[in-house]
Coordinates of all heavy atoms in Angstrom, one line a residue:
G938 N 38.5 17.1 168.8 CA 38.2 16.0 169.8 C 39.4 15.1 170.0 O 39.4 14.1 170.6
S939 N 40.6 15.6 169.4 CA 41.8 14.7 169.4 C 43.0 15.7 169.6 O 42.8 16.8 170.1 CB 41.9 13.9 168.1 OG 42.9 12.9 168.2
V940 N 44.2 15.2 169.3 CA 45.4 15.9 169.5 C 46.5 15.3 168.7 O 46.4 14.2 168.2 CB 45.8 16.0 171.0 CG1 46.2 14.6 171.5 CG2 46.9 17.0 171.3
S941 N 47.5 16.1 168.4 CA 48.7 15.6 167.8 C 48.4 15.0 166.4 O 47.7 15.6 165.6 CB 49.4 14.5 168.7 OG 50.6 14.1 168.1
I942 N 48.8 13.8 166.1 CA 48.6 13.2 164.8 C 47.1 12.8 164.6 O 46.7 12.6 163.5 CB 49.5 12.0 164.5 CG1 49.3 10.9 165.5 CG2 51.0 12.4 164.4 CD1 50.1 9.6 165.2
G943 N 46.4 12.7 165.7 CA 44.9 12.5 165.6 C 44.3 13.7 164.9 O 43.4 13.5 164.0
A944 N 44.6 14.9 165.4 CA 44.2 16.1 164.7 C 44.8 16.2 163.3 O 44.2 16.7 162.4 CB 44.5 17.3 165.5
G945 N 46.0 15.7 163.2 CA 46.8 15.8 161.9 C 46.1 15.1 160.8 O 46.1 15.6 159.7
I946 N 45.5 13.9 161.0 CA 44.9 13.2 159.9 C 43.6 14.0 159.5 O 43.2 14.0 158.4 CB 44.6 11.7 160.2 CG1 43.7 11.5 161.5 CG2 45.9 11.0 160.3 CD1 43.3 10.1 161.7
L947 N 42.9 14.6 160.5 CA 41.7 15.4 160.2 C 42.1 16.6 159.4 O 41.4 17.0 158.4 CB 41.1 15.8 161.5 CG 39.6 16.3 161.4 CD1 38.7 15.2 160.9 CD2 39.2 16.8 162.8
V948 N 43.2 17.2 159.7 CA 43.7 18.4 158.9 C 44.1 18.0 157.5 O 43.8 18.7 156.6 CB 44.9 19.1 159.7 CG1 45.5 20.1 158.8 CG2 44.4 19.7 161.0
E949 N 44.7 16.9 157.4 CA 45.1 16.4 156.0 C 43.9 16.2 155.2 O 43.8 16.6 154.0 CB 45.9 15.1 156.1 CG 46.4 14.6 154.8 CD 47.3 13.4 154.8 OE1 47.8 13.0 155.9 OE2 47.5 12.7 153.8
H950 N 42.9 15.6 155.8 CA 41.6 15.4 155.0 C 41.0 16.8 154.7 O 40.5 16.9 153.6 CB 40.6 14.6 155.9 CG 39.3 14.3 155.2 ND1 39.3 13.6 154.0 CD2 38.1 14.6 155.5 CE1 38.0 13.5 153.6 NE2 37.2 14.1 154.5
A951 N 41.0 17.7 155.6 CA 40.5 19.1 155.3 C 41.2 19.7 154.2 O 40.5 20.4 153.3 CB 40.6 19.9 156.6
L952 N 42.5 19.6 154.1 CA 43.3 20.2 153.0 C 42.8 19.6 151.7 O 42.6 20.3 150.7 CB 44.7 19.9 153.3 CG 45.4 20.8 154.3 CD1 46.8 20.3 154.6 CD2 45.5 22.3 153.9
A953 N 42.7 18.3 151.7 CA 42.3 17.6 150.4 C 40.9 18.1 150.0 O 40.6 18.3 148.8 CB 42.3 16.1 150.6
C954 N 40.0 18.2 150.9 CA 38.6 18.6 150.6 C 38.6 20.1 150.1 O 37.9 20.4 149.2 CB 37.7 18.5 151.8 SG 37.3 16.7 152.3
A955 N 39.4 20.9 150.8 CA 39.4 22.3 150.4 C 40.0 22.4 149.0 O 39.5 23.2 148.1 CB 40.3 23.1 151.4
E956 N 41.1 21.7 148.7 CA 41.7 21.7 147.4 C 40.8 21.2 146.3 O 40.9 21.6 145.1 CB 43.0 20.9 147.4 CG 44.1 21.5 148.3 CD 44.7 22.8 147.9 OE1 44.4 23.2 146.7 OE2 45.3 23.5 148.7
A957 N 39.9 20.3 146.7 CA 38.9 19.8 145.7 C 37.8 20.7 145.4 O 36.9 20.4 144.6 CB 38.4 18.4 146.2
G958 N 37.7 21.8 146.2 CA 36.7 22.8 145.9 C 35.5 22.8 146.8 O 34.5 23.5 146.5
M959 N 35.6 22.1 147.9 CA 34.4 22.1 148.8 C 34.2 23.5 149.5 O 35.2 24.1 149.8 CB 34.7 21.0 149.9 CG 33.5 20.7 150.7 SD 33.9 19.3 151.9 CE 33.8 17.9 150.8

Side-chain angles (χ1 to χ4, degrees):
S939 192
V940 68
S941 184
I942 61 173
I946 59 172
L947 195 63
V948 171
E949 183 177 344
H950 182 61
L952 286 169
C954 290
E956 296 292 345
M959 193 174 282

